[in-house]
Amino acid sequence: MRPARVVSLVPSLTEAVALSAPGSLAGATDWCAHPAGLDVVRVGGTKNPRTDRIVGLAPDLVIANEEENRGSDLAALRAAGLDVLVTEVRTLPQAFRELDRVLTACGVRARPRWLDEAEAAWAAPPAPAERRTAVVPVWRRPWMVLGRDTFAGDLLSRLGVDHLYANHPERYPRIPLDALRAADADLVVLPDEPYRFTADDGPEAFPGVPCALVDGRRLTWYGPSLAEAPAVLGRALRAALR
């Protein structure tokens, strides 16, 4: 029985499938940068995939995500006769369930070690002695922050950091910088994706407030990076609060 031919439209799922079902990936987006050296057909971006190219690859399965991919593109793939599996990931437990579902659909029979390691790492993640509040920008020009029901927000909560817009009606609200500064957060968390915040681009907007520059892949990806995420994120948060 030949392995399933899979096209992934989600970078974190691309990494998970590539490591757990070697040889099954026929295509991936231009943004699928892990694992390093991945040699598959590129099918465009997550928001603007080349549906004609995907159809031409004749995959058995296309894996997607309700947040990262557009419904119109997924509908076009289904209309062309392709099987499309759409994930929804807004919490860590949901991520583990969806990863199991994706890997099973891709024909993975034995649960990969990295998935067990990730669950073990998050069973007792490092946390500060007291809970802290944070603003978590994900974009600037305009400023956008984590709002309700986000995977990244759930991870931070498990690390002892409560972001201040968790109850906002929008998932990624646009908030004026003056309002962010007036929020009186203990901390500003600045990931390097989707916007690439750096030591020279981001912290200067929040004078007097500790800023944690964190690995965006460890904060927003659900896949093999989850195994190291609590330790890596925890160190960055603790360093900013010293």
Side-chain angles (χ1 to χ4, degrees), residues 5-10 13 46 49 51 54-55 59-66 69-88 98 101-102 105-106:
R5 282 175 58 80
V6 179
V7 170
S8 173
L9 302 182
V10 186
L13 295 178
T46 57
T51 55
I54 296 170
V55 172
D60 301 303
L61 181 68
V62 177
I63 50 177
N65 175 263
E66 51 91 27
N69 308 118
R70 301 185 306 176
S72 57
D73 294 319
L74 304 184
L77 294 173
R78 288 192 178 101
L82 299 185
D83 186 8
V84 181
L85 186 159
V86 182
T87 59
E88 179 184 291
E98 291 288 60
R101 185 165 73 103
V102 166
C106 292

Side-chain angles (χ1 to χ4, degrees), residues 173-187:
R174 298 184 181 189
I175 308 293
L177 181 57
D178 288 348
L180 297 179
R181 290 171 172 165
D184 198 26
D186 298 321
L187 175 71

